Amino acid sequence: MATIPRQIYGTAQTVINTGTDIAASNFSGSPAATFDNTTDGSVPYARWGKAMAEFPDWAAAPAAGTVIELWGVLKDTDGTDDDTDAPSGTSAGGARYFGSWPAAAADALQRRTITISLLGCEKVDFYIRNGTAQNMNNDAGTNCVVKITPFEIGLP
């Protein structure tokens, strides 16, 4: 009988955990931690990641189909130097686009998961961009959280 490849998951890393509101069309502030794709005991240098996000509350329900985008600035790109120009305000700076989560027309917690490519990424500072027309309210113990879980396809 043939062996069937499966997904092998590493450990989830919290990369954004903010209680600061994110205005419509704006980027989040500094990341909670740098994502490290080099040291996971199960899948070092994984090619894929599962990006789970929790968007806690809104000024009003966002329009269905608008998106919250995931961006990142690569770190240690040549072993020592980082890419430059983190996102700020409405500008992406030198950040790279990783994907987006769709928003529902609901003024309540929205939890979403997407698969992202980590090809060529050793370490990344992740940011999100609130692409809705509503203020994301991250306060009163309801932080906006993003976790990245690296994974690889392999044989058991």
Side-chain angles (χ1 to χ4, degrees):
M1 179 177 268
T3 303
I4 299 172
R6 64 180 177 104
Q7 295 177 353
I8 303 166
Y9 287 95
T11 302
Q13 299 177 45
T14 300
V15 296
I16 296 173
N17 187 352
T18 184
T20 303
D21 291 357
I22 304 171
S25 301
N26 276 256
F27 281 89
S28 59
S30 299
T34 297
F35 174 76
D36 188 345
N37 194 29
T38 67
T39 59
D40 193 286
S42 299
V43 289
Y45 300 97
R47 293 177 288 176
W48 308 104
K50 185 169 65 169
M52 186 281 300
E54 295 176 349
F55 310 115
D57 192 14
W58 306 88
T66 55
V67 296
I68 298 90
E69 300 168 350
L70 181 65
W71 293 73
V73 175
L74 302 184
K75 313 298 277 182
D76 296 339
T77 55
D78 65 356
T80 57
D81 293 322
D82 304 333
D83 282 358
T84 58
D85 303 322
S88 179
T90 59
S91 172
R96 168 194 209 183
Y97 177 79
F98 280 85
S100 60
W101 298 275
D107 182 15
L109 170 69
Q110 298 188 35
R111 187 176 293 118
R112 304 282 186 269
T113 303
I114 58 173
T115 300
I116 61 172
S117 171
L118 297 173
L119 289 171
C121 299
E122 288 83 22
K123 296 179 182 175
V124 183
D125 280 348
F126 282 105
Y127 299 82
I128 60 171
R129 179 183 169 274
N130 178 3
T132 74
Q134 299 300 325
N135 189 56
M136 187 187 300
N137 296 333
N138 305 318
D139 49 27
T142 56
N143 285 8
C144 171
V145 176
V146 176
K147 295 179 182 180
I148 308 293
T149 304
F151 72 91
E152 196 51 68
I153 307 296
L155 299 175

